[in-house]
């Protein structure tokens, strides 16, 4: 008789003693924290505890930030040699590493993502972006982007809540390396690590005004987008807001990069290594609660292995640990906000009503906070909304295909084009498929791998331009095409 023994995990809570959260924050303008007018709360989505009161920037605050950024650009940063700029970026990178645990704990408290992910992914990658771009600061003329590349001026940067510090690093590091100054707005629900980053700028003695951080909501973002003193807009967020921004900057001289939504196909061919593939599927959709623009949210299974993959996937999902993000054993944490949870619940209900079959493992979700169990929908067709729209949560839509050509056709049948995954042991098939797929990033036998040296960005409604690598640098320099 076969017997199995299971051992319960003991709680392994990370301490929050390392962070000091002030009861109230202002904006970071011209190298100093300045008091804000109106405030709004930022909460821990795992407990609904109010963490702090955050300032809501209005026109006067955004004006002051742009003025400080312009002054720093004209008088200091654009005149400084690349070598000197690089020293500041290295210093920031090192301080981020030294304060990594503080950043990780704060990110997890404000965002709801598991400490394991903020500690092992978000914060090390954010520091890596500063290290990588520090290296470019004095080598811009050798980057193949012209003999004398020039910065654009003041960059307005608007970031989302899914990877708060990492998205800040993606925006701030290349801008500064290329000689620009910045006004950055973190997302309404996750401003705390950006405010800690402001302290790091002070600690690194970065010249006043090179980095300015204003907090607020969408109205603050719109003030930045429409500000006449700004030369470039860099945005990551929803396709809906991306379209508003594209329209707003169209009649102006502003440069723009947009990193928007996705509905990535993760394609499993019948010769794929099934056990590794199952890990990749789980990582592709349940990493960061599925709040990932490049998430592998559409699983395309070749029909003759579909049953086996689904059986193993369900077994694996039974072992996913959902719960307290501060517990070091947690795999899936809290949904970032009440609004996002409502959107996930609504789209999942549409999946039910359109006839797809829902499955989730049994899991005890905490009574407070915002939670959604890891979920898969089978029997999904191209016509279903859950196959076409970004759910931005831990929900996987599963489709099947018979031939490689059908897989490509289904994968490309989307308004998005951010990322895709291919699982196959055959190199020629992988190369063939990657050439047919219309997506900015294609992973083979892996998923959700990020590196500062590698350009990231999408086709179609997934955005304009690239971030990371040489291509990402080009987006902060004058007259250089970055497509
Ligand atoms: P948004 O696109 O609204 O938010 C992204 C950033 O833009 C935030 O800082 C936001 O501010 C700001 N913003 C909002 N409205 C405007 C505006 N009119 N002009 C300028 N900036 C603005 O995304 P949401 O947070 O509302 O999420 C909605 C959906 O977007 C999600 O369900 C998901 O599908 C998708 N999404 C995709 C992301 C991606 O990486 N591709 C990231 C985040 C969301 P504030 O937070 O203060 O509202």
């Amino acid at each position: 008789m076969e017997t199995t023994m299971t051992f319960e995990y003991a709680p392994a809570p990370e301490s929050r003693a390392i962070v000091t959260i002030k009861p109230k924050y202002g904006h970071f303008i011209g190298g100093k924290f300045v008091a804000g007018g109106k405030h709004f709360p930022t909460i821990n989505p795992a407990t609904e505890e109010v963490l702090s009161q955050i300032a809501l920037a209005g026109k006067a605050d955004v004006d002051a930030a742009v003025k400080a950024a312009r002054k720093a650009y004209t008088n200091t940063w654009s005149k400084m040699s690349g070598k000197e700029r690089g020293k500041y970026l290295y210093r920031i990178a090192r301080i981020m590493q030294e304060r990594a645990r503080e950043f990780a704990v704060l990110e997890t408290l404000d965002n709801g993502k598991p400490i394991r992910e903020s500690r092992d992914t978000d914060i090390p990658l954010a520091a890596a972006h500063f290290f990588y771009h520090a290296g470019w600061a004095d080598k811009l003329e050798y980057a193949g982007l012209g003999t004398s590349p020039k910065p654009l001026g003041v960059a307005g940067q608007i970031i989302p809540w899914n990877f708060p510090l990492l998205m800040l690093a993606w925006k701030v590091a290349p801008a500064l390396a290329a000689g620009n100054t910045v006004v950055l707005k973190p997302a309404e629900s996750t401003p705390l690590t950006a405010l800690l980053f402001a302290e790091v700028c002070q600690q690194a003695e970065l010249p006043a005004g090179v980095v300015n951080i204003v907090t607020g909501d969408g109205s603050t973002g719109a003030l930045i987008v429409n500000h006449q003193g700004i030369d470039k807009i860099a945005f990551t967020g929803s396709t809906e807001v991306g379209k508003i921004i594209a329209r707003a900057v169209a009649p102006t001289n502003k440069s723009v990069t947009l990193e928007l939504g996705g509905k990535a196909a993760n394609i499993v061919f019948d010769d794929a290594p099934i056990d590794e593939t199952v890990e990749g599927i789980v990582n592709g959709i349940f990493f960061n609660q599925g709040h990932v623009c490049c998430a592998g949210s559409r699983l395309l299974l070749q029909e003759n292995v579909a049953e086996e993959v689904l059986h193993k996937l369900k077994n694996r999902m039974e072992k996913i640990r959902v719960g307290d993000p501060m517990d070091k054993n947690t795999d899936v944490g809290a949904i970032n906000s009440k609004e996002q949870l409502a959107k996930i619940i609504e789209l999942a209900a549409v999946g039910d009503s359109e006839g797809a079959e829902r499955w989730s493992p049994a899991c005890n979700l905490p009574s407070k906070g915002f939670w959604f169990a890891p979920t898969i929908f089978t029997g999904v067709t191209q016509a279903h909304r859950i196959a076409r729209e970004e759910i931005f949560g831990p929900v996987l839509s599963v489709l099947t295909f018979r031939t490689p050509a059908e897989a490509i056709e289904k994968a490309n049948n989307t308004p998005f084009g951010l990322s895709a995954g291919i699982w196959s042991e055959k190199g020629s098939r992988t190369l063939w498929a990657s050439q047919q797929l219309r997506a900015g990033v294609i992973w083979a036998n892996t998923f959700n791998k990020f590196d500062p040296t590698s350009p990231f960005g999408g086709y179609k409604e997934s955005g304009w331009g690239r971030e990371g690598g040489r291509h990402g640098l080009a987006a902060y320099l004058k007259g250089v095409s970055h497509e």
Side-chain angles (χ1 to χ4, degrees):
M1 195 179 84
E2 195 187 329
T3 55
T4 51
M5 284 175 77
T6 50
F7 293 92
E8 280 308 308
Y9 282 78
E14 174 74 43
S15 164
R16 66 187 273 179
I18 197 164
V19 298
T20 310
I21 303 177
K22 296 184 187 126
K24 197 178 193 182
Y25 286 88
H27 308 292
F28 182 65
I29 298 175
K32 292 193 201 88
F33 282 95
V34 297
K38 274 195 208 154
H39 285 76
F40 60 90
T42 185
I43 66 167
N44 176 346
T47 59
E48 298 175 59
E49 168 202 356
V50 173
L51 295 171
S52 184
Q53 296 294 329
I54 303 301
L56 177 77
K59 189 171 180 315
D61 305 301
V62 173
D63 279 345
V66 174
K67 209 167 149 198
R70 176 64 58 193
K71 190 169 158 204
Y73 176 73
T74 311
N75 297 345
T76 317
W77 202 243
S78 65
K79 292 204 172 127
M80 197 182 274
S81 69
K83 191 172 159 200
E84 288 303 307
R85 287 200 311 274
K87 282 188 196 168
Y88 285 105
L89 291 174
Y90 277 122
R91 209 183 273 175
I92 289 172
R94 282 196 299 268
I95 298 172
M96 285 170 86
Q97 280 188 326
E98 280 162 18
R99 301 181 71 171
R101 189 163 293 264
E102 197 180 343
F103 270 112
V105 170
L106 193 60
E107 197 76 299
T108 285
L109 289 173
D110 205 18
N111 171 281
K113 66 175 70 199
I115 186 73
R116 194 163 54 78
E117 287 177 6
S118 48
R119 184 195 62 198
D120 298 348
T121 305
D122 295 56
I123 312 306
L125 267 176
H129 269 266
F130 277 93
F131 276 116
Y132 172 75
H133 287 96
W136 271 124
D138 64 346
K139 300 175 197 71
L140 294 175
E141 56 270 50
Y142 310 110
L145 303 170
T147 50
S148 178
K150 295 277 180 298
L152 296 169
V154 175
Q157 309 185 314
I158 300 164
I159 56 173
W161 43 262
N162 53 344
F163 293 94
L165 188 73
L166 184 58
M167 290 300 104
L168 174 150
W170 279 29
K171 299 275 180 287
V172 174
L176 265 47
N180 306 272
T181 59
V182 307
V183 175
L184 174 123
K185 189 198 91 68
E188 186 180 351
S189 63
T190 54
L192 291 181
T193 47
L195 292 163
L196 183 58
F197 178 80
E199 277 180 34
V200 168
C201 293
Q202 288 182 322
Q203 199 182 337
E205 294 174 9
L206 186 71
V210 172
V211 168
N212 303 276
I213 295 175
V214 289
T215 48
D217 60 13
S219 67
T220 311
L223 285 168
I224 293 175
V225 168
N226 294 303
H227 202 289
Q228 293 193 345
I230 284 180
D231 303 295
K232 186 218 162 78
I233 297 294
F235 170 80
T236 299
S238 62
T239 296
E240 190 190 344
V241 174
K243 285 180 180 173
I244 297 174
I245 293 175
R247 274 186 223 112
V249 299
T252 72
N253 283 331
K254 290 186 181 103
S255 305
V256 63
T257 37
L258 303 171
E259 297 290 344
L260 310 176
K263 191 75 190 177
N266 203 1
I267 307 171
V268 181
F269 290 106
D270 58 6
D271 62 339
I274 301 295
D275 291 336
E276 288 86 339
T277 303
V278 167
E279 286 306 310
I281 295 167
V282 167
N283 176 41
I285 187 63
F286 302 124
F287 168 63
N288 204 35
Q289 295 70 245
H291 300 328
V292 184
C293 48
C294 52
S297 53
R298 273 188 304 153
L299 180 64
L300 300 190
L301 296 177
Q302 194 149 12
E303 226 171 65
N304 49 341
V305 290
E307 206 175 309
E308 182 187 356
V309 172
L310 283 172
H311 175 71
K312 289 193 165 173
L313 177 61
K314 287 179 179 175
N315 277 346
R316 176 66 182 81
M317 284 173 67
E318 302 270 6
K319 308 215 166 35
I320 292 177
R321 298 174 56 85
V322 186
D324 181 7
M326 290 288 275
D327 191 309
K328 289 174 227 168
N329 292 321
T330 292
D331 299 312
V332 171
I335 300 303
N336 180 252
S337 66
K338 200 175 181 176
E339 292 74 27
Q340 189 59 30
L341 178 59
K343 185 183 160 187
I344 298 168
I345 291 173
E346 184 202 323
L347 272 166
V350 170
D352 294 330
S353 65
E354 288 184 337
E357 194 177 322
R358 184 199 293 232
W359 184 88
S360 293
C363 48
N364 287 329
L365 300 178
S367 56
K368 277 211 141 186
F370 315 125
W371 304 93
F372 198 88
T375 298
I376 57 175
F377 276 98
T378 48
V380 177
T381 73
Q382 291 286 101
H384 289 158
R385 271 180 68 195
I386 56 166
R388 300 195 314 268
E389 292 180 30
E390 189 175 43
I391 301 175
F392 222 63
V395 182
L396 179 66
S397 301
V398 185
L399 295 88
T400 56
F401 66 90
R402 285 188 183 169
T403 64
E406 187 189 345
I408 301 297
E409 198 179 310
K410 284 187 166 162
N412 286 339
N413 185 358
T414 163
F416 298 110
L418 193 54
S419 65
I422 302 166
W423 295 86
S424 168
E425 284 206 318
K426 226 175 167 187
S428 56
R429 176 175 277 179
T430 302
L431 288 172
W432 171 83
S434 58
Q435 281 169 348
Q436 312 297 313
L437 288 168
R438 198 78 181 129
V441 180
I442 296 169
W443 287 290
N445 293 340
T446 186
F447 210 93
N448 275 340
K449 282 269 182 288
F450 306 99
D451 191 291
T453 63
S454 176
F456 182 93
Y459 289 102
K460 303 192 278 185
E461 293 201 1
S462 291
W464 293 345
R466 296 291 178 266
E467 291 189 312
R470 231 170 40 83
H471 302 67
L473 266 185
Y476 284 97
L477 293 167
K478 265 187 194 144
V480 188
S481 162
H482 48 73
E483 284 299 333

